[in-house]
């Protein structure tokens, strides 16, 4: 990271950024090229391991891309605010961001799918919800097992 003064290194600070962000952009590659998918997400951080959870339709370009190449990158950002100055070159921007890499794994076990959906809804709404088997079976649920991630902030 070039701007070490903006690097976020403390896990609690990194998790606060993740908790504030509501959209994660997933970068994948298929035969048509690089594909970036913005998605709502949920997450867990257990035993020093970050896992991101997503749901979608069962078919489509992203599903096909993930099945062919599970290696992905991801990005999320929040805390946006323009810092204006009389001199245009002195403008700046407040932000917080996370970027990382991992592998997509589809979740097929119905109980694990329900837990992933619960984590996603908790993150998005702040509410505890439940899912029945039919609800969980109606969507594709996948996770990114994060292999590495870093944070950056200008506040």
């Amino acid at each position: 990271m070039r701007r070490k003064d903006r690097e976020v290194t403390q896990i609690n600070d990194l998790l606060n950024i993740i908790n504030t962000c509501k959209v994660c952009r997933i970068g994948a590659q298929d035969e048509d090229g690089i594909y970036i998918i913005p998605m709502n997400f949920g997450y867990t951080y257990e035993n020093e391991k970050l896992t991101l959870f997503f749901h979608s339709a069962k078919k489509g370009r992203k599903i096909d891309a993930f099945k062919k190449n599970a290696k992905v990158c991801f990005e999320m950002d929040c805390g946006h605010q323009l810092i204006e100055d009389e001199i245009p070159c002195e403008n700046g921007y407040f932000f917080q961001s996370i970027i990382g890499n991992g592998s997509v794994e589809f979740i097929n076990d119905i109980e694990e799918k329900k837990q992933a959906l619960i984590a996603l809804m908790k993150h998005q709404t702040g509410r505890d919800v439940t899912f029945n088997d039919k609800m969980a079976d109606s969507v594709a649920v996948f996770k990114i097992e994060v292999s590495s991630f870093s944070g950056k902030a200008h506040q």
Side-chain angles (χ1 to χ4, degrees), residues 25-67:
R25 291 164 197 82
I26 304 170
Q29 185 161 0
D30 65 10
E31 59 276 353
D32 292 329
I34 305 295
Y35 184 45
I36 299 173
I37 310 114
M39 299 189 73
N40 295 109
F41 71 100
Y43 74 96
T44 57
Y45 186 78
E46 298 171 347
N47 301 318
E48 300 183 9
K49 181 75 175 157
L50 178 63
T51 304
L52 305 174
F53 299 103
F54 306 86
H55 80 293
S56 76
K58 291 183 175 184
K59 294 183 180 183
R61 183 178 177 187
K62 71 178 160 291
I63 299 297
D64 294 341
F66 296 156
K67 286 181 178 178

Side-chain angles (χ1 to χ4, degrees), residues 36 47 57 65 101 112 132 148:
I36 299 173
N47 301 318
N101 296 89
E112 189 179 355
N132 62 37
S148 65

Side-chain angles (χ1 to χ4, degrees), residues 81-99:
Q81 183 179 345
L82 178 64
I83 308 162
E84 292 189 74
D85 193 277
E86 291 294 320
I87 303 168
C89 291
E90 296 297 319
N91 285 352
Y93 206 72
F94 290 134
F95 69 91
Q96 296 174 308
S97 66
I98 300 287
I99 190 167

